[in-house]
Amino acid sequence: METTSVIILNGFLGAGKTTLLKNLLIQAHEKQLSVSVIVNDMSELDVDGVLIANTDIVDAKDNNFVSITADSISSPAGLKKMDLAINHLLDHNKPDVMLIETSGSDRPFHPQRLWDTCHRFMGMGVYRSKGFFWLPGRDDLALLWNQSAGSISLALIGYWKAGVLEHTDNNLTREERSALQRHIDTASGRFGDRCCQLTIIGNATEVNDFTHALSLCLLTEEEIQWWMSGGVFPDPWPQKVTRLS
């Protein structure tokens, strides 16, 4: 039975997955290895797909490249698209390696699950973590995550541009609204410029466990739909956060 090596690139939005994928493509090309690629970009603009296609190493016309857009491969619909993409590539080619880039984490954290996870892992080999994130119910706020050993603090560093535009009383001029919209249109996430980006330092095993636990804190597709239809999640995080200037 023939087998194909598969490399899956996963990580938070902005972690460098697309850059790594491009480097792997170039290395495989130099070693004369045949490659097939699947890119998952939750934006309808398919920014990552265009970047990979521009390498000229893989192309949808050559049946060695598929881009799954406007959906997450972690959702039931996304998994079906992934299965179809894999079968399509294998039906047309027998690659030495298949590279799969998953979508970055632009969906928000579930407030209660995140709270529980932090209390379970803090002080257990996770020495330092820092980054940006957002929560449903506070979806206009850009929050700074700042953890050291067993303590963690939240700080308000500003407002997501997408959140500003969604407010009808933002007092923006037409030119200012257009400028914000142009910026949002270039973002790769389904929620505009909102994103979750965390850097974690610590014992390797604990960091891996903590990262996996954090991924489970992200809202599922069903929870996103429920929230967008008006659902409210329990939020134990302090309602008053420090404002950084």
Side-chain angles (χ1 to χ4, degrees):
M1 180 179 178
E2 287 189 82
T3 61
T4 299
S5 298
V6 177
I7 298 176
I8 300 176
L9 308 179
N10 190 22
F12 287 103
L13 196 68
K17 299 184 297 299
T18 302
T19 301
L20 176 59
L21 176 56
K22 291 171 67 176
N23 288 335
L24 291 175
L25 268 177
I26 293 170
Q27 292 178 43
H29 183 67
E30 291 173 345
K31 294 181 178 180
Q32 297 183 331
L33 296 174
S34 60
V35 183
S36 291
V37 174
I38 298 174
V39 169
N40 177 211
D41 193 332
M42 292 182 61
S43 168
E44 293 183 356
L45 296 175
D46 191 20
V47 175
D48 289 347
V50 172
L51 291 174
I52 297 303
N54 284 344
T55 64
D56 293 327
I57 298 174
V58 292
D59 195 299
K61 292 182 293 184
D62 297 327
N63 295 303
N64 58 8
F65 175 65
V66 174
S67 183
I68 301 173
T69 63
D71 206 343
S72 169
I73 59 173
S74 62
S75 69
L79 287 173
K80 291 180 180 178
K81 292 179 182 179
M82 172 66 82
D83 185 58
L84 290 173
I86 292 173
N87 287 325
H88 171 79
L89 294 175
L90 294 179
D91 285 343
H92 290 85
N93 297 282
K94 301 300 180 187
D96 295 311
V97 62
M98 183 178 293
L99 302 173
I100 301 175
E101 180 192 355
T102 65
S103 178
S105 299
D106 63 342
R107 62 181 59 191
F109 285 119
H110 187 290
Q112 186 66 59
R113 286 204 299 270
L114 183 63
W115 175 271
D116 295 339
T117 295
C118 288
H119 281 73
R120 182 158 56 95
F121 279 90
M122 292 301 95
M124 296 177 59
V126 179
Y127 310 140
R128 189 84 168 88
S129 60
K130 193 171 185 177
F132 310 106
F133 73 108
W134 63 292
L135 297 171
R138 314 184 193 195
D139 48 298
D140 57 339
L141 304 182
L143 298 172
L144 174 67
W145 167 299
N146 194 357
Q147 172 264 327
S148 179
S151 64
I152 183 171
S153 63
L154 302 184
L156 171 63
I157 59 170
Y159 297 88
W160 301 113
K161 294 179 176 64
V164 172
L165 277 185
E166 289 167 5
H167 283 284
T168 57
D169 57 348
N170 52 38
N171 296 320
L172 296 176
T173 65
R174 179 180 299 178
E175 290 76 15
E176 290 170 333
R177 291 185 62 86
S178 297
L180 283 180
Q181 189 62 59
R182 285 195 298 271
H183 178 89
I184 293 170
D185 288 342
T186 63
S188 60
R190 67 190 288 191
F191 299 108
D193 60 325
R194 299 180 180 96
C195 62
C196 296
Q197 301 179 6
L198 300 178
T199 299
I200 304 168
I201 301 172
N203 176 276
T205 301
E206 293 295 337
V207 167
N208 289 337
D209 291 344
F210 184 45
T211 302
H212 176 67
L214 284 176
S215 69
L216 298 178
C217 293
L218 297 170
L219 294 189
T220 65
E221 189 62 32
E222 291 75 17
E223 288 172 329
I224 288 174
Q225 296 303 322
W226 183 73
W227 167 60
M228 294 180 69
S229 66
V232 179
F233 297 103
D235 186 346
W237 293 90
Q239 296 300 309
K240 293 184 178 179
V241 295
T242 305
R243 174 66 187 266
L244 293 184
S245 58

